[in-house]
Amino acid sequence: MKLFRFIISGVFLKNIFYIICFNIIIVVIIFFGLGFITQHNNYVKVPNLFGLNISKATESAKNKSLNIIILDSAKFNPSQPPLVVLDQFPNYDTEVKKGRKIYLTLNPAGYKKMKVPNIIQITLRNAETLLNAVGFEVGELIYKNNIGKDMVLEIRHDGKKIEPGFALQQRKKIDLVLGN
């Protein structure tokens, strides 16, 4: 009985009213405050950065208040100039908020360098397979009098003798001196 009288008393009802009003005010502040803090409906369009060099792409993105993150690309595309944008995320004409990170994939300055495998005293057939697997191309075949027919005697690049383990860019031509 005392509990029922307390629940219908003015003090209890007044406190319930204050709690409800306080919660409504908090919900309204959060609802409108979040829209303001997160810049709701305040978007910019991502510019088309494909084919631009890194300095022009960075300048274009900064004009729109966007941040650039450069992703490493190991795939060299010889049909494109070095250090141009090959891919971007998010794509152009996408609406994003100011300060958004734009991820760019660039064309490297050249093919990556690889060590020339040890193909001395290996047959031409095996040497070609090894060089192609690493990413080199077989250039000129020079024959010397030697007991081992089609056996690799030395490796050359641009007319100079090189040793196994020498670092060259991929897709370079390697000349082979073979036994006759």
Side-chain angles (χ1 to χ4, degrees):
M1 195 68 153
K2 286 183 179 182
L3 180 65
F4 181 70
R5 265 193 255 143
F6 175 71
I7 291 176
I8 60 170
S9 70
V11 174
F12 181 75
L13 292 177
K14 186 169 68 170
N15 283 330
I16 292 296
F17 175 74
Y18 289 150
I19 291 171
I20 291 172
C21 288
F22 179 74
N23 284 332
I24 289 173
I25 291 171
I26 293 296
V27 168
V28 168
I29 289 173
I30 289 174
F31 182 75
F32 289 111
L34 278 177
F36 177 74
I37 291 170
T38 61
Q39 299 177 359
H40 192 63
N41 290 332
N42 187 7
Y43 299 107
V44 293
K45 284 195 173 194
V46 176
N48 186 2
L49 304 175
F50 293 110
L52 295 179
N53 66 26
I54 185 62
S55 59
K56 288 181 182 176
T58 304
E59 181 182 322
S60 178
K62 288 204 188 238
N63 288 342
K64 298 257 185 168
S65 300
L66 299 170
N67 296 325
I68 295 289
I69 303 292
I70 297 172
L71 300 175
D72 187 28
S73 174
K75 287 180 151 183
F76 179 68
N77 185 347
S79 65
Q80 295 285 336
L83 302 176
V84 298
V85 177
L86 295 178
D87 192 21
Q88 76 181 55
F89 180 80
N91 289 327
Y92 65 93
D93 280 344
T94 304
E95 290 185 340
V96 297
K97 293 182 181 176
K98 289 183 180 180
R100 168 74 190 262
K101 294 176 185 173
I102 306 297
Y103 296 92
L104 301 179
T105 304
L106 299 180
N107 196 25
Y111 288 108
K112 65 180 178 179
K113 288 194 172 194
M114 297 293 289
K115 291 183 178 180
V116 176
N118 187 2
I119 55 173
I120 304 294
Q121 297 297 315
I122 293 180
T123 63
L124 172 62
R125 184 175 172 186
N126 289 340
E128 284 178 329
T129 305
L130 273 170
L131 290 173
N132 288 334
V134 175
F136 296 114
E137 295 177 10
V138 176
E140 186 180 352
L141 300 176
I142 304 164
Y143 286 94
K144 254 186 178 177
N145 286 333
N146 191 295
I147 195 166
K149 182 171 175 47
D150 285 340
M151 185 76 62
V152 178
L153 302 175
E154 71 182 51
I155 310 166
R156 294 184 182 175
H157 175 66
D158 289 336
K160 296 178 185 170
K161 181 179 176 182
I162 59 174
E163 297 296 323
F166 185 78
L168 285 177
Q169 281 188 341
Q170 285 183 320
R171 304 287 182 240
K172 292 287 185 180
K173 290 189 184 253
I174 294 179
D175 303 329
L176 301 176
V177 178
L178 305 170
N180 198 356

